[in-house]
């Protein structure tokens, strides 16, 4: 192997060294570009997950609303029948949209969504036919909401939102997609329990205990998600505009808590108008979902902006590296050709001198090592010509002297 390398021409050796040098620079550069591309692709995927998650949350929102309306209708409240029907139809449409989203996301999510759709269909038919009592309706609706929230968690994981490592955006995910949905679910359950109790004008001891626990859970969850989202508004410039919406949402939670406490837990007569109670609780819940939508829209916008900026930096870096590598290759090729051309001239001159041609001339265009070699050989050729000239002159003198002696 070594002897084979020794026998290679100088041009080949320099070419091999040049290729190795380019590879040594190009491979790490390619790894860097690929890593940046992976980061950009991850941001794109994360941003694309916002719409499917919003679709799933819309289904959760309508299911929670249907639960509350079903509690009133099954308890005999005819004033809620029209809204109950409209909500059922809206939920059917939202469920169909969610199934399409899930199919595009993954086969596992498609199966989970199909199961949820079947669960909803059976429940809707039972409620519409009034084949179940309010307590069973509440339990089945709540189980359905739990499955839907599990689907939201799966979507968060599938689209990589759970692995966002930037503090500000991580707080958004934690508050809007982890804490808030469960806080809103507590409000939704209180809406259903309260609507049924106000319609029937009675609240059992068990339901009172449940509502009390739900109220405590909602307030603690509200404190947690508000704290997380406040941090996001401070850490992420885009989220500054969410501050007023957050204040509005927090006020709505406190107003809902006050309504539940006054008209359900502390009322002896439970005489508050059920439809008004449902409407006010729905307004508070819808405020949370509106803030959630704004937060998710800002999250997608921020991720898209950062992906675009990262993509631009990646392209600039790739272009810069390509220019540098191309320039290095061109300069190496030019330098190698010049060096080899000078060596070729020197070699040809040496061969001419070895063959006895002392009239050979050399020209050099630089003072580098090759140019110095050419200069030296030119001086050597000149010196040899002088020596030969002196020898010829001496020979002629000897020849003349011999002729004179003769």
């Amino acid at each position: 192997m070594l002897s084979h390398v020794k026998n290679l021409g100088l041009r080949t050796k320099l070419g091999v060294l040049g290729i190795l040098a380019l590879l040594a620079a190009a491979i790490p550069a390619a790894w860097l570009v690929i890593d940046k591309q992976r980061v950009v692709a991850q941001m794109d995927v994360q941003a694309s997950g916002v719409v499917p998650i919003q679709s799933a949350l819309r289904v959760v929102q309508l299911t929670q609303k249907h639960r509350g309306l079903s509690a009133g209708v099954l308890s005999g409240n005819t004033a809620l029948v029209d809204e109950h029907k409209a909500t059922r139809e809206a939920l059917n449409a939202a469920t169909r949209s969610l199934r399409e989203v899930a199919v595009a996301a993954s086969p596992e999510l498609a199966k989970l969504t199909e199961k949820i759709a079947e669960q909803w269909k059976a429940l809707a038919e039972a409620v519409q036919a009034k084949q179940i009592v309010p307590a069973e309706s509440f339990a089945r609706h709540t189980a359905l909401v739990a499955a839907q929230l599990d689907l939201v968690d799966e979507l968060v994981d599938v689209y990589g939102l759970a692995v966002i490592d930037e503090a500000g955006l991580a707080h958004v995910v934690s508050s809007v997609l982890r804490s808030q949905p469960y806080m809103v679910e507590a409000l939704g359950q209180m809406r259903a329990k309260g609507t049924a109790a106000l319609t029937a004008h009675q609240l059992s001891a068990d339901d009172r205990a449940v509502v009390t626990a739900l109220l405590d859970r909602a307030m603690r969850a509200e404190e947690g998600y508000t704290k997380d989202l406040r941090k996001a508004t401070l850490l992420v410039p885009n989220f500054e505009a969410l501050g007023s919406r957050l204040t509005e949402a927090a006020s709505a939670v406190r107003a809902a808590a006050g309504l539940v406490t006054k008209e359900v837990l502390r009322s002896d007569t439970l005489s508050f108008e059920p439809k008004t109670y449902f409407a006010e609780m729905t307004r508070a819940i819808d405020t949370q979902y509106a803030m959630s939508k704004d937060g998710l829209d800002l999250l997608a916008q921020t991720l898209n902006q950062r992906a675009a900026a990262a993509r631009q930096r990646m392209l600039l870096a790739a272009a810069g590296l390509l220019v540098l590598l191309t320039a290095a290759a061109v300069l190496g090729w030019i330098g190698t050709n010049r060096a080899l051309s000078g060596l070729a001239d020197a070699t040809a001159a040496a061969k001419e001198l070895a063959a006895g041609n002392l009239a050979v001339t050399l020209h050099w265009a630089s003072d580098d090592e090759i140019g110095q070699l050419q200069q030296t050989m030119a001086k050597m050729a000149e010196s040899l010509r002088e020596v030969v000239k002196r020898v010829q002159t001496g020979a002629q003198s000897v020849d003349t002297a011999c002729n004179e002696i003769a």
Side-chain angles (χ1 to χ4, degrees), residues 53 56 91 146 150 212 224 273 366 380 382:
I53 289 171
L91 182 50
D150 287 341
T212 301
E273 172 58 43
S366 67
M380 181 180 69
E382 181 65 26

Side-chain angles (χ1 to χ4, degrees), residues 120-137:
W120 155 244
K121 181 180 178 181
L123 176 57
E125 291 174 352
V127 172
Q128 187 174 5
K130 295 187 177 180
Q131 296 173 343
I132 56 177
V133 296
E136 183 183 353
S137 171

Side-chain angles (χ1 to χ4, degrees), residues 146-213:
Q148 292 166 348
L149 289 175
D150 287 341
L151 175 62
V152 172
D153 287 340
E154 288 293 329
L155 287 168
V156 170
D157 291 337
V158 166
Y159 286 98
L161 293 171
V163 298
I164 290 179
D165 55 3
E166 184 180 338
L169 298 184
H171 284 307
V172 175
V173 173
S174 175
S175 60
V176 174
L177 297 176
R178 300 298 192 192
S179 302
Q180 192 194 37
Y182 294 94
M183 184 274 294
V184 175
E185 169 59 2
L187 291 178
Q189 291 185 33
M190 287 190 288
R191 174 175 57 185
K193 288 287 185 182
T195 301
L198 292 171
T199 299
H201 300 291
Q202 63 179 0
L203 181 67
S204 68
D206 288 343
D207 282 344
R208 183 180 298 276
V210 169
V211 172
T212 301

Side-chain angles (χ1 to χ4, degrees), residues 20 41 47 63 92 99 103 121 127 180 204 222 225 247 310 361 394:
L20 291 176
T63 304
N92 285 333
R99 291 166 75 176
V103 168
K121 181 180 178 181
V127 172
Q180 192 194 37
S204 68
E222 186 274 334
Y225 95 79
T247 300
T361 57

